[in-house]
Amino acid sequence: AELKCTPSSRLTNKIGNKLNVNHISGMRVATFCPCPGGDSPSAKRMFDSLLAGCIPVILSKDFVWPYSIEHDLSMGHDPNDFSLRWNVADYMEPRYHHSNCTLIDEADGGFQAALDAIPAEEVERLRRGARAAAERYGFYERLPP
């Protein structure tokens, strides 16, 4: 029911409301991976998104990237080179009337519209940064694709 008015509903309708998609596989084909805050200032999902090859969109004021200028200015590693940080409050309101799936506010494009508005050059810059950050944050040597 919660997916009824989202683009994901097309997928769930096709597979009988059984979300049968591997989480990591989904991250590997995504350009951006939303990373909501959790119960600590660091979360595995941020690193998972980098290692899966997508750009983390941090939706938390509290998260601090370790081994970066957010933690220690001498590190020289800037999270703005490989991730986005957005205010989660900007994306908390429902966008659709659940009874008929019409938009509540046509002018509010929401999270997807904000991602779509990012210029291709910026996406490519963030992708390069994310690949470099994955090397820094990865524990094991990465194999070529």
Side-chain angles (χ1 to χ4, degrees):
E2 292 211 14
L3 294 174
K4 176 183 169 190
C5 298
T6 68
S8 300
S9 68
R10 290 187 297 273
L11 173 66
T12 57
N13 289 340
K14 286 182 183 176
I15 59 175
N17 286 330
K18 293 178 184 172
L19 215 54
N20 200 10
V21 177
N22 179 298
H23 176 73
I24 297 298
S25 295
M27 291 173 77
R28 290 183 61 86
V29 298
T31 299
F32 298 100
C33 290
C35 299
D39 59 0
S40 69
S42 179
K44 182 178 177 288
R45 65 187 146 271
M46 281 73 159
F47 304 103
D48 287 346
S49 62
L50 283 174
L51 295 174
C54 66
I55 300 163
V57 181
I58 310 302
L59 297 168
S60 169
K61 295 179 194 173
D62 301 324
F63 181 76
V64 176
W65 285 100
Y67 311 110
S68 76
I69 61 171
E70 290 181 343
H71 178 261
D72 179 349
L73 287 175
S74 70
M75 292 291 184
H77 177 64
D78 187 352
N80 293 318
D81 292 340
F82 61 86
S83 66
L84 300 171
R85 185 181 305 262
W86 290 355
N87 186 357
V88 70
D90 294 340
Y91 305 101
M92 294 294 290
E93 295 299 318
R95 294 194 51 240
Y96 296 94
H97 293 286
H98 283 289
S99 59
N100 60 11
C101 291
T102 58
L103 279 172
I104 293 172
D105 179 2
E106 291 283 338
D108 176 19
F111 191 74
Q112 185 63 50
L115 292 173
D116 291 342
I118 299 171
E121 303 80 34
E122 177 66 0
V123 171
E124 187 51 40
R125 183 189 72 79
L126 289 164
R127 280 185 173 149
R128 284 191 306 272
R131 282 191 294 272
E135 292 297 323
R136 280 188 227 96
Y137 286 119
F139 186 72
Y140 297 102
E141 181 178 345
R142 295 183 75 193
L143 297 175

